[in-house]
Amino acid sequence: MTESINHLEKIKNSLSRRNRAEKRFRWYGRTAIFIGLAAVLVLFTDIVNKGHGAFRITYIELEVTYDQDRIGVNNLTDPKELTRGNWEALSKTALRTEFPNVSGRSDKRRLNNLLSSGAGFDLKDRLVANPHLLGRKESIWILADDDIDTYFKSWLAGDAYAARLSSKQVQWIEGLHQQDKIRLQFNSNLFTRGDSREPEQAGIRGAVMGSLLTLILTLLLSFPIGVSAAIYLEEFAPRNRWTDFIEVNINNLAAVPSIIFGLLGLAIFINFFHVPRSVPIVGGLVLTLMTLPTIIITSRAAIKSVPPSIREAALGMGASKYQTVLHHVLPLSLPGMLTGAIIGMAQALGESAPLLMIGMVAFIVDIPGGFSDPATVLPVQIFLWADSPERAFIEKTSAAIMILLSFLIVMNTVAVWLRKRLERRW
Amino acid sequence: MTQLASADKKKRANTAKPTAMKSLEVEGHEATVGKVFTDNPKMTMRNVNVYYDDKQAIHDVSIDIAKNEVIAMIGPSGCGKSTFLRSLNRMNDTVDICRVEGDILMDGENLYAPKLDVVELRARVGMVFQKPNPFPKSIYENVAYGPKIHGLADTRVDLDEIVENSLRKASLWEEVKERLHQGGTGLSGGQQQRLCIARAIAVSPEVILMDEPCSALDPIATAKIEELIEELSENFTIAIVTHSMQQAARVSHRTAYFHLGKLIEVNPTEQVFTMPEHPLTEAYITGRFG
């Protein structure tokens, strides 16, 4: 009798100990998740804080006279004549009209520096698009220089940064501000232009297009190859030393540092096959090599998760191996394969190291229109901007990171959604 | 006596392995007691040995399955009855390490002959599995799958007819005729198993193999399947592996008792359950092991 009471006592004692252990364990888990979330939160707030400014940029309103004599162009449809035109005269004259009292060589230069160095060409584009403006006057918002932009934004935030401006320039800006002739506008250049040495003219369109072209090629190559390899290895290949060897090496390949793939691409695609450097073709080939192991491994996992009873049912009905795979295994494992492919693509989208090796790190202004145009990609664009000395590139870098992150978030959300949507239960 | 015989057989298995071309002379069938052979066999098995790598799962089994009979295979777990059943439509081919020796013939044709196409064989020998395994497709698609891949229906109307007939034969038609295009996996366990039977008979096989078809079902669903097996035996030859001796007693004409990979006794079901010839059979059916 006493023994059984002792027994119960012991169980009770151990019970509270076990409960405490469980509680502790739960807290470990919660702490881990909290640390992870906090890290993500800090990262995101920092990036958004630095980068949100890049989506707006400073414009100055000026009275522009499209004076034919000053430009020196008669025919607006002749491209040769257009390149010869003195377009800068348009913006310079406009500034001179706004500030008639400025004199002296250096002051005039400072005045001209209020506007972006591309302001004249923006006016040219406007005139070519609207030829009826020739000889007329109009009031128009013109892109300001990046130093002005940096100063104006910091001044609006109450912490003016005037280190790169002269006191006269600061006065002019204040004068413009009093007349409401300087303001922040949505920065459409960021989305419509390619890279530039001038921060106010730099955009990510070129990098986005480069990433898109590279990814399309990567997907087109790596998904069919990866899925075929996975199906063969999982369903058809005999189990022997050779397939074990292949399996080990696919797993090894997944663990190879990505820069090695870049070196491989440089040696094989560029040096041996003479594919031009810096183009999406070679980028896509290299990223295909890099994502193949990921796609093969996830596809194999998806195929493995198809219950063997389904295969038995099909084989038992007299379906051939090929029919079993095509009619049953493939449709059931496709969601998993797609998820794997999207995750592989997300990985490829964020990859920069291998692309540095194959010359996709070049400074490219033109927006690539095809697979053989020189291009760069988003992460490399971030790397290039982060490396630039101009202060205005700080917020540009963060903005590009935000855009890259939002692409990645969208892709991963699609992957999760696809898995939820297409997943079958049995 | 049995021990001696088995030792003898083991020796033989290690020294001289029987080949597929071997004559049908029955060797060592003194080990199996009862009415092993019939006059009108649908399938004939002689000296069948099955190995998983080096481990022998079936030892020298010889037996006939008569036309339109229901033969039950019983025995304790791991006695090789499922392995034996699966070698009858070469489902064991899918297991890499599995090797089948001996002669398995259907209507005098060797099923393991190199030129025989396993796809054709499985169209002639259908199979129902332990766990209901309908395809995650509609009921209609499940039944129509076999006829489609074998090209049995020329028109949509033909196919509809095959589907309806098969579902009727599997006594499932009345329950599902309103929802043919809903998922087959949404049915109850018993209905799913009858769907699998309908799927198997849709290609009009000659033999149906059933591997513990009721082990995942409740008693009512089991009763329905058993009733169905009786009806099906009019048109098909059925070999059923079962854990339940009552089920064997209810549905089968003959019962084969397997023990540790050996076929111990084959006799008419009534006799097996009332007057078993072999002491091992008696021990099993009286519940001394199982």
Side-chain angles (χ1 to χ4, degrees), chain A residues 112-151:
Chain A
N112 290 338
N113 281 349
L114 284 185
L115 293 182
S116 161
S117 59
F121 298 104
D122 289 350
L123 291 172
K124 175 193 94 175
D125 291 342
R126 182 165 169 75
L127 185 60
V128 171
N130 308 288
H132 67 272
L133 286 173
L134 197 61
R136 294 206 197 164
K137 251 188 205 180
E138 74 168 339
S139 195
I140 189 175
W141 289 95
I142 300 175
L143 192 59
D145 187 66
D146 58 304
D147 287 332
I148 309 300
D149 180 54
T150 308
Y151 168 76

mmCIF file of all heavy atoms in Angstrom, chain A residues 112-151:
data_model
loop_
_atom_site.group_PDB
_atom_site.id
_atom_site.type_symbol
_atom_site.label_atom_id
_atom_site.label_comp_id
_atom_site.label_asym_id
_atom_site.label_seq_id
_atom_site.Cartn_x
_atom_site.Cartn_y
_atom_site.Cartn_z
ATOM 1 N N ASN A 112 24.313 76.729 -63.103
ATOM 2 C CA ASN A 112 23.997 75.617 -64.014
ATOM 3 C C ASN A 112 23.962 74.281 -63.291
ATOM 4 O O ASN A 112 23.245 73.368 -63.689
ATOM 5 C CB ASN A 112 25.023 75.551 -65.139
ATOM 6 C CG ASN A 112 24.879 76.724 -66.088
ATOM 7 O OD1 ASN A 112 23.795 77.329 -66.152
ATOM 8 N ND2 ASN A 112 25.937 77.063 -66.782
ATOM 9 N N ASN A 113 24.757 74.199 -62.209
ATOM 10 C CA ASN A 113 24.807 72.939 -61.474
ATOM 11 C C ASN A 113 23.544 72.654 -60.660
ATOM 12 O O ASN A 113 23.430 71.623 -60.031
ATOM 13 C CB ASN A 113 26.016 72.918 -60.541
ATOM 14 C CG ASN A 113 27.288 72.590 -61.306
ATOM 15 O OD1 ASN A 113 27.211 72.179 -62.468
ATOM 16 N ND2 ASN A 113 28.432 72.805 -60.691
ATOM 17 N N LEU A 114 22.621 73.622 -60.631
ATOM 18 C CA LEU A 114 21.354 73.352 -59.940
ATOM 19 C C LEU A 114 20.599 72.227 -60.634
ATOM 20 O O LEU A 114 19.901 71.449 -59.997
ATOM 21 C CB LEU A 114 20.469 74.606 -59.923
ATOM 22 C CG LEU A 114 20.828 75.724 -58.957
ATOM 23 C CD1 LEU A 114 19.753 76.802 -59.019
ATOM 24 C CD2 LEU A 114 20.981 75.214 -57.541
ATOM 25 N N LEU A 115 20.725 72.160 -61.954
ATOM 26 C CA LEU A 115 19.946 71.180 -62.711
ATOM 27 C C LEU A 115 20.789 69.954 -63.045
ATOM 28 O O LEU A 115 22.014 70.011 -63.110
ATOM 29 C CB LEU A 115 19.440 71.801 -64.018
ATOM 30 C CG LEU A 115 18.407 72.904 -63.858
ATOM 31 C CD1 LEU A 115 17.961 73.398 -65.231
ATOM 32 C CD2 LEU A 115 17.221 72.431 -63.051
ATOM 33 N N SER A 116 20.088 68.880 -63.272
ATOM 34 C CA SER A 116 20.745 67.644 -63.683
ATOM 35 C C SER A 116 21.474 67.865 -64.993
ATOM 36 O O SER A 116 21.022 68.632 -65.842
ATOM 37 C CB SER A 116 19.694 66.555 -63.861
ATOM 38 O OG SER A 116 20.214 65.516 -64.652
ATOM 39 N N SER A 117 22.616 67.183 -65.162
ATOM 40 C CA SER A 117 23.376 67.363 -66.396
ATOM 41 C C SER A 117 22.599 66.825 -67.587
ATOM 42 O O SER A 117 22.907 67.123 -68.725
ATOM 43 C CB SER A 117 24.722 66.654 -66.281
ATOM 44 O OG SER A 117 24.505 65.287 -66.037
ATOM 45 N N GLY A 118 21.579 66.042 -67.320
ATOM 46 C CA GLY A 118 20.779 65.509 -68.421
ATOM 47 C C GLY A 118 19.556 66.349 -68.715
ATOM 48 O O GLY A 118 18.732 65.959 -69.550
ATOM 49 N N ALA A 119 19.418 67.503 -68.036
ATOM 50 C CA ALA A 119 18.192 68.300 -68.170
ATOM 51 C C ALA A 119 17.960 68.715 -69.614
ATOM 52 O O ALA A 119 16.838 68.644 -70.123
ATOM 53 C CB ALA A 119 18.277 69.521 -67.263
ATOM 54 N N GLY A 120 19.056 69.125 -70.317
ATOM 55 C CA GLY A 120 18.935 69.552 -71.707
ATOM 56 C C GLY A 120 18.380 68.441 -72.576
ATOM 57 O O GLY A 120 17.501 68.666 -73.418
ATOM 58 N N PHE A 121 18.848 67.207 -72.336
ATOM 59 C CA PHE A 121 18.391 66.087 -73.168
ATOM 60 C C PHE A 121 16.938 65.721 -72.866
ATOM 61 O O PHE A 121 16.204 65.298 -73.747
ATOM 62 C CB PHE A 121 19.317 64.887 -72.972
ATOM 63 C CG PHE A 121 20.717 65.173 -73.404
ATOM 64 C CD1 PHE A 121 21.720 65.405 -72.482
ATOM 65 C CD2 PHE A 121 21.018 65.265 -74.764
ATOM 66 C CE1 PHE A 121 23.000 65.704 -72.883
ATOM 67 C CE2 PHE A 121 22.312 65.558 -75.176
ATOM 68 C CZ PHE A 121 23.305 65.780 -74.236
ATOM 69 N N ASP A 122 16.541 65.921 -71.582
ATOM 70 C CA ASP A 122 15.128 65.700 -71.253
ATOM 71 C C ASP A 122 14.261 66.672 -72.048
ATOM 72 O O ASP A 122 13.202 66.317 -72.568
ATOM 73 C CB ASP A 122 14.892 65.901 -69.759
ATOM 74 C CG ASP A 122 15.497 64.770 -68.939
ATOM 75 O OD1 ASP A 122 15.913 63.766 -69.564
ATOM 76 O OD2 ASP A 122 15.563 64.899 -67.708
ATOM 77 N N LEU A 123 14.742 67.926 -72.149
ATOM 78 C CA LEU A 123 13.977 68.931 -72.896
ATOM 79 C C LEU A 123 13.950 68.587 -74.380
ATOM 80 O O LEU A 123 12.943 68.777 -75.056
ATOM 81 C CB LEU A 123 14.593 70.319 -72.678
ATOM 82 C CG LEU A 123 14.411 70.864 -71.256
ATOM 83 C CD1 LEU A 123 15.208 72.146 -71.058
ATOM 84 C CD2 LEU A 123 12.927 71.110 -70.963
ATOM 85 N N LYS A 124 15.074 68.039 -74.866
ATOM 86 C CA LYS A 124 15.117 67.623 -76.274
ATOM 87 C C LYS A 124 14.044 66.571 -76.530
ATOM 88 O O LYS A 124 13.270 66.650 -77.484
ATOM 89 C CB LYS A 124 16.497 67.041 -76.609
ATOM 90 C CG LYS A 124 16.579 66.469 -78.008
ATOM 91 C CD LYS A 124 17.820 65.636 -78.201
ATOM 92 C CE LYS A 124 17.530 64.171 -77.928
ATOM 93 N NZ LYS A 124 18.656 63.298 -78.220
ATOM 94 N N ASP A 125 14.004 65.550 -75.635
ATOM 95 C CA ASP A 125 13.011 64.481 -75.817
ATOM 96 C C ASP A 125 11.599 65.046 -75.819
ATOM 97 O O ASP A 125 10.741 64.622 -76.589
ATOM 98 C CB ASP A 125 13.153 63.446 -74.696
ATOM 99 C CG ASP A 125 14.456 62.670 -74.825
ATOM 100 O OD1 ASP A 125 15.037 62.689 -75.928
ATOM 101 O OD2 ASP A 125 14.892 62.071 -73.819
ATOM 102 N N ARG A 126 11.390 66.036 -74.926
ATOM 103 C CA ARG A 126 10.056 66.629 -74.842
ATOM 104 C C ARG A 126 9.711 67.361 -76.142
ATOM 105 O O ARG A 126 8.601 67.254 -76.650
ATOM 106 C CB ARG A 126 10.009 67.588 -73.654
ATOM 107 C CG ARG A 126 8.642 68.209 -73.469
ATOM 108 C CD ARG A 126 8.482 68.852 -72.120
ATOM 109 N NE ARG A 126 7.253 69.643 -72.106
ATOM 110 C CZ ARG A 126 6.046 69.109 -72.027
ATOM 111 N NH1 ARG A 126 5.915 67.808 -71.925
ATOM 112 N NH2 ARG A 126 4.963 69.872 -72.051
ATOM 113 N N LEU A 127 10.696 68.065 -76.668
ATOM 114 C CA LEU A 127 10.460 68.836 -77.888
ATOM 115 C C LEU A 127 10.222 67.909 -79.077
ATOM 116 O O LEU A 127 9.327 68.143 -79.892
ATOM 117 C CB LEU A 127 11.671 69.753 -78.152
ATOM 118 C CG LEU A 127 11.511 70.711 -79.334
ATOM 119 C CD1 LEU A 127 10.314 71.631 -79.089
ATOM 120 C CD2 LEU A 127 12.770 71.542 -79.529
ATOM 121 N N VAL A 128 11.011 66.825 -79.151
ATOM 122 C CA VAL A 128 10.833 65.892 -80.264
ATOM 123 C C VAL A 128 9.447 65.262 -80.204
ATOM 124 O O VAL A 128 8.781 65.053 -81.219
ATOM 125 C CB VAL A 128 11.940 64.811 -80.238
ATOM 126 C CG1 VAL A 128 11.645 63.713 -81.252
ATOM 127 C CG2 VAL A 128 13.285 65.444 -80.511
ATOM 128 N N ALA A 129 8.996 64.972 -78.984
ATOM 129 C CA ALA A 129 7.670 64.371 -78.841
ATOM 130 C C ALA A 129 6.565 65.384 -79.123
ATOM 131 O O ALA A 129 5.474 65.006 -79.553
ATOM 132 C CB ALA A 129 7.515 63.794 -77.431
ATOM 133 N N ASN A 130 6.825 66.667 -78.834
ATOM 134 C CA ASN A 130 5.817 67.707 -79.070
ATOM 135 C C ASN A 130 6.398 68.799 -79.951
ATOM 136 O O ASN A 130 6.762 69.878 -79.470
ATOM 137 C CB ASN A 130 5.348 68.326 -77.737
ATOM 138 C CG ASN A 130 4.921 67.277 -76.751
ATOM 139 O OD1 ASN A 130 3.880 66.660 -76.895
ATOM 140 N ND2 ASN A 130 5.761 67.067 -75.745
ATOM 141 N N PRO A 131 6.522 68.563 -81.264
ATOM 142 C CA PRO A 131 7.208 69.535 -82.147
ATOM 143 C C PRO A 131 6.536 70.905 -82.168
ATOM 144 O O PRO A 131 7.194 71.910 -82.456
ATOM 145 C CB PRO A 131 7.132 68.879 -83.528
ATOM 146 C CG PRO A 131 6.620 67.500 -83.324
ATOM 147 C CD PRO A 131 6.020 67.402 -81.989
ATOM 148 N N HIS A 132 5.246 70.971 -81.833
ATOM 149 C CA HIS A 132 4.565 72.268 -81.907
ATOM 150 C C HIS A 132 5.106 73.264 -80.884
ATOM 151 O O HIS A 132 4.830 74.448 -80.954
ATOM 152 C CB HIS A 132 3.056 72.078 -81.705
ATOM 153 C CG HIS A 132 2.701 71.628 -80.325
ATOM 154 N ND1 HIS A 132 2.652 70.297 -79.961
ATOM 155 C CD2 HIS A 132 2.396 72.333 -79.207
ATOM 156 C CE1 HIS A 132 2.328 70.204 -78.690
ATOM 157 N NE2 HIS A 132 2.168 71.414 -78.206
ATOM 158 N N LEU A 133 5.892 72.757 -79.890
ATOM 159 C CA LEU A 133 6.431 73.654 -78.872
ATOM 160 C C LEU A 133 7.545 74.545 -79.405
ATOM 161 O O LEU A 133 7.917 75.532 -78.772
ATOM 162 C CB LEU A 133 6.976 72.845 -77.696
ATOM 163 C CG LEU A 133 5.941 72.211 -76.765
ATOM 164 C CD1 LEU A 133 6.623 71.312 -75.757
ATOM 165 C CD2 LEU A 133 5.139 73.294 -76.049
ATOM 166 N N LEU A 134 8.094 74.198 -80.565
ATOM 167 C CA LEU A 134 9.235 74.945 -81.103
ATOM 168 C C LEU A 134 8.880 76.422 -81.257
ATOM 169 O O LEU A 134 7.866 76.763 -81.863
ATOM 170 C CB LEU A 134 9.648 74.351 -82.463
ATOM 171 C CG LEU A 134 11.033 74.747 -82.956
ATOM 172 C CD1 LEU A 134 12.112 74.275 -81.993
ATOM 173 C CD2 LEU A 134 11.278 74.207 -84.341
ATOM 174 N N GLY A 135 9.740 77.265 -80.660
ATOM 175 C CA GLY A 135 9.505 78.700 -80.728
ATOM 176 C C GLY A 135 8.574 79.208 -79.646
ATOM 177 O O GLY A 135 8.328 80.404 -79.541
ATOM 178 N N ARG A 136 8.061 78.305 -78.814
ATOM 179 C CA ARG A 136 7.139 78.770 -77.766
ATOM 180 C C ARG A 136 7.799 78.745 -76.401
ATOM 181 O O ARG A 136 8.920 78.280 -76.234
ATOM 182 C CB ARG A 136 5.913 77.859 -77.732
ATOM 183 C CG ARG A 136 5.094 77.955 -78.989
ATOM 184 C CD ARG A 136 3.673 77.597 -78.673
ATOM 185 N NE ARG A 136 2.976 77.299 -79.906
ATOM 186 C CZ ARG A 136 1.833 76.670 -79.917
ATOM 187 N NH1 ARG A 136 1.285 76.243 -78.804
ATOM 188 N NH2 ARG A 136 1.229 76.450 -81.062
ATOM 189 N N LYS A 137 7.026 79.190 -75.425
ATOM 190 C CA LYS A 137 7.469 79.238 -74.040
ATOM 191 C C LYS A 137 6.592 78.305 -73.231
ATOM 192 O O LYS A 137 5.403 78.181 -73.504
ATOM 193 C CB LYS A 137 7.240 80.668 -73.509
ATOM 194 C CG LYS A 137 8.479 81.461 -73.286
ATOM 195 C CD LYS A 137 8.055 82.731 -72.593
ATOM 196 C CE LYS A 137 9.058 83.851 -72.847
ATOM 197 N NZ LYS A 137 8.648 85.073 -72.165
ATOM 198 N N GLU A 138 7.202 77.669 -72.225
ATOM 199 C CA GLU A 138 6.321 76.952 -71.294
ATOM 200 C C GLU A 138 6.987 76.859 -69.939
ATOM 201 O O GLU A 138 8.209 76.931 -69.803
ATOM 202 C CB GLU A 138 5.965 75.550 -71.808
ATOM 203 C CG GLU A 138 7.085 74.543 -71.701
ATOM 204 C CD GLU A 138 6.610 73.118 -71.936
ATOM 205 O OE1 GLU A 138 5.410 72.848 -71.786
ATOM 206 O OE2 GLU A 138 7.465 72.268 -72.253
ATOM 207 N N SER A 139 6.152 76.681 -68.920
ATOM 208 C CA SER A 139 6.644 76.512 -67.564
ATOM 209 C C SER A 139 6.699 75.013 -67.305
ATOM 210 O O SER A 139 5.702 74.315 -67.475
ATOM 211 C CB SER A 139 5.672 77.202 -66.609
ATOM 212 O OG SER A 139 6.281 77.357 -65.377
ATOM 213 N N ILE A 140 7.878 74.514 -66.914
ATOM 214 C CA ILE A 140 8.025 73.070 -66.837
ATOM 215 C C ILE A 140 8.885 72.685 -65.641
ATOM 216 O O ILE A 140 9.775 73.432 -65.215
ATOM 217 C CB ILE A 140 8.638 72.538 -68.155
ATOM 218 C CG1 ILE A 140 8.596 71.017 -68.173
ATOM 219 C CG2 ILE A 140 10.025 73.066 -68.385
ATOM 220 C CD1 ILE A 140 9.071 70.436 -69.486
ATOM 221 N N TRP A 141 8.581 71.504 -65.050
ATOM 222 C CA TRP A 141 9.383 70.989 -63.925
ATOM 223 C C TRP A 141 10.578 70.232 -64.495
ATOM 224 O O TRP A 141 10.424 69.288 -65.252
ATOM 225 C CB TRP A 141 8.540 70.088 -63.042
ATOM 226 C CG TRP A 141 7.514 70.856 -62.260
ATOM 227 C CD1 TRP A 141 6.222 71.071 -62.601
ATOM 228 C CD2 TRP A 141 7.726 71.505 -61.014
ATOM 229 N NE1 TRP A 141 5.593 71.830 -61.653
ATOM 230 C CE2 TRP A 141 6.499 72.121 -60.654
ATOM 231 C CE3 TRP A 141 8.834 71.681 -60.170
ATOM 232 C CZ2 TRP A 141 6.343 72.853 -59.477
ATOM 233 C CZ3 TRP A 141 8.660 72.404 -58.997
ATOM 234 C CH2 TRP A 141 7.430 72.990 -58.662
ATOM 235 N N ILE A 142 11.778 70.661 -64.088
ATOM 236 C CA ILE A 142 13.012 70.073 -64.611
ATOM 237 C C ILE A 142 13.765 69.377 -63.479
ATOM 238 O O ILE A 142 13.814 69.877 -62.346
ATOM 239 C CB ILE A 142 13.906 71.152 -65.258
ATOM 240 C CG1 ILE A 142 13.140 71.801 -66.416
ATOM 241 C CG2 ILE A 142 15.211 70.557 -65.757
ATOM 242 C CD1 ILE A 142 13.880 72.950 -67.044
ATOM 243 N N LEU A 143 14.338 68.201 -63.809
ATOM 244 C CA LEU A 143 15.065 67.397 -62.833
ATOM 245 C C LEU A 143 16.251 68.174 -62.269
ATOM 246 O O LEU A 143 17.045 68.744 -63.006
ATOM 247 C CB LEU A 143 15.566 66.129 -63.537
ATOM 248 C CG LEU A 143 16.114 65.001 -62.687
ATOM 249 C CD1 LEU A 143 15.062 64.510 -61.706
ATOM 250 C CD2 LEU A 143 16.587 63.869 -63.581
ATOM 251 N N ALA A 144 16.373 68.178 -60.927
ATOM 252 C CA ALA A 144 17.484 68.872 -60.279
ATOM 253 C C ALA A 144 18.690 67.949 -60.165
ATOM 254 O O ALA A 144 18.575 66.735 -60.302
ATOM 255 C CB ALA A 144 17.063 69.344 -58.904
ATOM 256 N N ASP A 145 19.834 68.537 -59.903
ATOM 257 C CA ASP A 145 21.062 67.758 -59.731
ATOM 258 C C ASP A 145 20.979 66.941 -58.434
ATOM 259 O O ASP A 145 20.233 67.275 -57.517
ATOM 260 C CB ASP A 145 22.248 68.723 -59.676
ATOM 261 C CG ASP A 145 23.556 67.964 -59.683
ATOM 262 O OD1 ASP A 145 23.842 67.333 -60.719
ATOM 263 O OD2 ASP A 145 24.257 67.986 -58.657
ATOM 264 N N ASP A 146 21.768 65.837 -58.362
ATOM 265 C CA ASP A 146 21.658 64.958 -57.195
ATOM 266 C C ASP A 146 22.102 65.659 -55.915
ATOM 267 O O ASP A 146 21.554 65.411 -54.848
ATOM 268 C CB ASP A 146 22.470 63.680 -57.401
ATOM 269 C CG ASP A 146 23.933 63.965 -57.654
ATOM 270 O OD1 ASP A 146 24.214 64.718 -58.597
ATOM 271 O OD2 ASP A 146 24.774 63.446 -56.911
ATOM 272 N N ASP A 147 23.073 66.580 -55.996
ATOM 273 C CA ASP A 147 23.491 67.296 -54.791
ATOM 274 C C ASP A 147 22.366 68.174 -54.270
ATOM 275 O O ASP A 147 22.143 68.277 -53.063
ATOM 276 C CB ASP A 147 24.736 68.142 -55.089
ATOM 277 C CG ASP A 147 25.973 67.276 -55.250
ATOM 278 O OD1 ASP A 147 25.976 66.180 -54.631
ATOM 279 O OD2 ASP A 147 26.892 67.674 -55.982
ATOM 280 N N ILE A 148 21.653 68.814 -55.209
ATOM 281 C CA ILE A 148 20.503 69.641 -54.831
ATOM 282 C C ILE A 148 19.430 68.754 -54.208
ATOM 283 O O ILE A 148 18.827 69.096 -53.181
ATOM 284 C CB ILE A 148 19.920 70.363 -56.079
ATOM 285 C CG1 ILE A 148 21.014 71.095 -56.851
ATOM 286 C CG2 ILE A 148 18.791 71.296 -55.675
ATOM 287 C CD1 ILE A 148 21.730 72.150 -56.066
ATOM 288 N N ASP A 149 19.225 67.598 -54.836
ATOM 289 C CA ASP A 149 18.218 66.655 -54.349
ATOM 290 C C ASP A 149 18.547 66.240 -52.916
ATOM 291 O O ASP A 149 17.689 66.271 -52.027
ATOM 292 C CB ASP A 149 18.187 65.440 -55.284
ATOM 293 C CG ASP A 149 17.170 64.402 -54.860
ATOM 294 O OD1 ASP A 149 15.996 64.793 -54.695
ATOM 295 O OD2 ASP A 149 17.549 63.232 -54.686
ATOM 296 N N THR A 150 19.817 65.855 -52.694
ATOM 297 C CA THR A 150 20.236 65.424 -51.355
ATOM 298 C C THR A 150 20.023 66.557 -50.351
ATOM 299 O O THR A 150 19.480 66.342 -49.266
ATOM 300 C CB THR A 150 21.726 65.038 -51.371
ATOM 301 O OG1 THR A 150 21.935 64.101 -52.421
ATOM 302 C CG2 THR A 150 22.147 64.440 -50.054
ATOM 303 N N TYR A 151 20.440 67.768 -50.748
ATOM 304 C CA TYR A 151 20.295 68.902 -49.824
ATOM 305 C C TYR A 151 18.827 69.180 -49.527
ATOM 306 O O TYR A 151 18.432 69.344 -48.384
ATOM 307 C CB TYR A 151 20.941 70.166 -50.423
ATOM 308 C CG TYR A 151 20.586 71.410 -49.658
ATOM 309 C CD1 TYR A 151 21.191 71.672 -48.430
ATOM 310 C CD2 TYR A 151 19.611 72.294 -50.133
ATOM 311 C CE1 TYR A 151 20.843 72.788 -47.691
ATOM 312 C CE2 TYR A 151 19.253 73.410 -49.396
ATOM 313 C CZ TYR A 151 19.876 73.654 -48.175
ATOM 314 O OH TYR A 151 19.516 74.746 -47.448
#
